[in-house]
Amino acid sequence: MEQKTTQINAKSIIEAYVGKKLEAMRDNPDRESRNLVDLALGLSAGRFQKHFLSIAHSMLEDENSPYYALIHDAIKNVGTANILKFGMNIGYNSFTAGARTIRNLEKERGYNIPWVITFYVDDKSFSQEAYTEAIRQGKKMGIYTYVFFCEDIPGKLTEIFDDETECAFMLFSDAENIEKEILSQASEIKNLMLCVKYSDSAAEVCEDLRSNKALYSLWYEYDKNPMCENLLNTADELHPVLTFFVRTGDDYSGYSNTYNEVCKLRNSRTAASAPMEFSGTCRMVDEIISDDSCIAVFDESGKLISVCNSEQDYNFRNQALAEIFEKCYPKAVK
């Protein structure tokens, strides 16, 4: 209880300080963003924080870095409360306190626990109770980041986002399937990043999100060898915070070439939005947090689909997440 109280107090202090810095960035975004990164780097103790903040520091050393344009745009066009809430949930709850819980439990239990869970969801088989229970179990293991891929977005999904205020949510959907109600809610749900699939309809959706000061990104689905740089230049016109490249299908081993290309582009960009290869980034973060790398992806029926060649089905709708992870993600023998 004492440790939990200490964590809550530490988070409150950090959140108050970061909130003041975000407000100060409106007047001097370049200087304040550098100061914030420098201070965080000096105070960071965890492996992931040091890794991430070192990258951010090197990006901002160049006064002509295109990422300053990204910072300027976000500060001006995204609600401060949205940046603060989503940032604290993923930066503190997930990457700091959550990561500590994951490492302790992995050492104690002898199996890997992913830092993020991805759900594919459809309207027909959606069960609010099932996803709420999965998130409840996940939080106990230190998992505070959840990704949802939806073609048709179930209306009650946003109720989960609203209720689970400690978590960071990313909702990936086609532009054509994002209804006006979701667009209007996106800015009100402070712990949500809405990710819009690029298409001819994406510009109108992004304009609507931007006018409502919502936090949003773009994503492209790829099979083999996408023209990442060309796609990024197109994406920048729609002002996303991030641009994700997501591999099609359930082959989670075929992302490495694109991941490496995207990492190089991120370090040498001349345009603003920050590119991310989805599967590779999830694995990279997990490996930094807990040495072994694992991802957990569940299909619309609740079946785990990120473990290949398994003779048994694992389903979060009728099995505990801890049981699934124990059987599917044993720690590597050193």
Side-chain angles (χ1 to χ4, degrees):
M1 178 65 72
E2 184 177 347
Q3 182 180 5
K4 186 173 182 180
T5 302
T6 301
Q7 288 180 356
I8 292 172
N9 291 338
K11 182 187 175 185
S12 298
I13 293 169
I14 294 169
E15 190 167 9
Y17 179 82
V18 173
K20 290 181 180 179
K21 283 294 182 182
L22 287 173
E23 290 295 341
M25 281 185 190
R26 295 188 181 280
D27 296 325
N28 196 328
D30 294 5
R31 184 183 66 190
E32 294 297 341
S33 58
R34 285 195 300 268
N35 289 345
L36 185 58
V37 170
D38 289 344
L39 178 65
L41 185 58
L43 295 176
S44 63
R47 289 177 294 181
F48 180 79
Q49 296 98 308
K50 286 187 177 295
H51 176 88
F52 174 79
L53 290 167
S54 294
I55 293 173
H57 184 271
S58 64
M59 285 179 171
L60 297 180
E61 279 186 325
D62 179 7
E63 293 183 357
N64 297 315
S65 170
Y67 290 103
Y68 280 118
L70 174 61
I71 294 169
H72 288 206
D73 191 74
I75 290 297
K76 180 180 178 181
N77 294 291
V78 181
T80 301
N82 299 66
I83 298 174
L84 181 61
K85 185 64 176 177
F86 187 87
M88 287 297 299
N89 283 5
I90 199 168
Y92 185 86
N93 291 352
S94 197
F95 292 157
T96 305
R100 188 184 304 119
T101 299
I102 287 172
R103 286 193 294 270
N104 290 339
L105 288 178
E106 286 184 342
K107 184 177 180 180
E108 174 188 319
R109 299 178 182 181
Y111 59 82
N112 288 304
I113 299 170
W115 73 274
V116 57
I117 296 179
T118 299
F119 297 108
Y120 281 81
V121 177
D122 62 26
D123 198 16
K124 293 181 180 178
S125 60
F126 178 76
S127 166
Q128 184 176 358
E129 294 77 13
Y131 290 102
T132 297
E133 174 60 20
I135 292 168
R136 185 191 67 80
Q137 293 177 30
K139 288 194 299 182
K140 288 185 176 180
M141 291 185 282
I143 307 170
Y144 285 88
T145 303
Y146 296 88
V147 176
F148 288 81
F149 281 87
C150 309
E151 288 189 4
D152 298 312
I153 302 173
K156 291 190 176 181
L157 184 58
T158 56
E159 293 182 18
I160 296 176
F161 304 158
D162 254 340
D163 291 341
E164 299 294 343
T165 57
E166 296 178 307
C167 297
F169 294 101
M170 290 184 278
L171 173 57
F172 287 70
S173 187
D174 296 357
E176 295 80 1
N177 295 330
I178 302 176
E179 298 178 353
K180 287 291 183 182
E181 183 180 0
I182 300 294
L183 292 177
S184 63
Q185 290 175 336
S187 61
E188 299 300 322
I189 304 174
K190 310 304 183 187
N191 55 342
L192 171 66
M193 176 185 286
L194 186 58
C195 302
V196 183
K197 187 174 183 180
Y198 186 81
S199 68
D200 292 340
S201 305
E204 182 179 351
V205 171
C206 290
E207 183 178 351
D208 198 335
L209 290 167
R210 187 175 172 84
S211 66
N212 287 323
K213 293 189 175 296
L215 181 64
Y216 71 92
S217 293
L218 278 178
W219 65 287
Y220 292 90
E221 194 171 31
Y222 75 92
D223 183 9
K224 296 179 180 179
N225 304 320
M227 300 295 290
C228 295
E229 188 166 13
N230 293 341
L231 293 174
L232 284 170
N233 290 334
T234 302
D236 284 334
E237 298 174 4
L238 305 185
H239 306 284
V241 176
L242 303 173
T243 300
F244 289 99
F245 293 86
V246 181
R247 185 169 173 82
T248 57
D250 57 1
D251 178 7
Y252 298 98
S253 62
Y255 62 86
S256 56
N257 289 338
T258 302
Y259 173 73
N260 291 333
E261 180 186 351
V262 168
C263 287
K264 290 178 182 177
L265 284 171
R266 190 163 59 244
N267 294 330
S268 61
R269 291 225 60 204
T270 57
S273 72
M276 300 283 176
E277 198 287 326
F278 182 76
S279 295
T281 300
C282 289
R283 287 184 181 276
M284 178 272 293
V285 172
D286 200 84
E287 188 170 333
I288 294 171
I289 287 175
S290 58
D291 293 328
D292 294 342
S293 171
C294 75
I295 59 173
V297 184
F298 294 90
D299 70 10
E300 293 85 348
S301 70
K303 177 184 175 183
L304 183 71
I305 57 174
S306 50
V307 173
C308 301
N309 303 319
S310 175
E311 296 180 357
Q312 184 175 345
D313 289 346
Y314 298 95
N315 194 305
F316 77 85
R317 292 175 186 259
N318 52 43
Q319 292 172 279
L321 287 179
E323 179 185 349
I324 294 173
F325 297 157
E326 180 180 13
K327 293 180 178 178
C328 296
Y329 302 121
K331 296 293 285 183
V333 177
K334 303 282 186 176

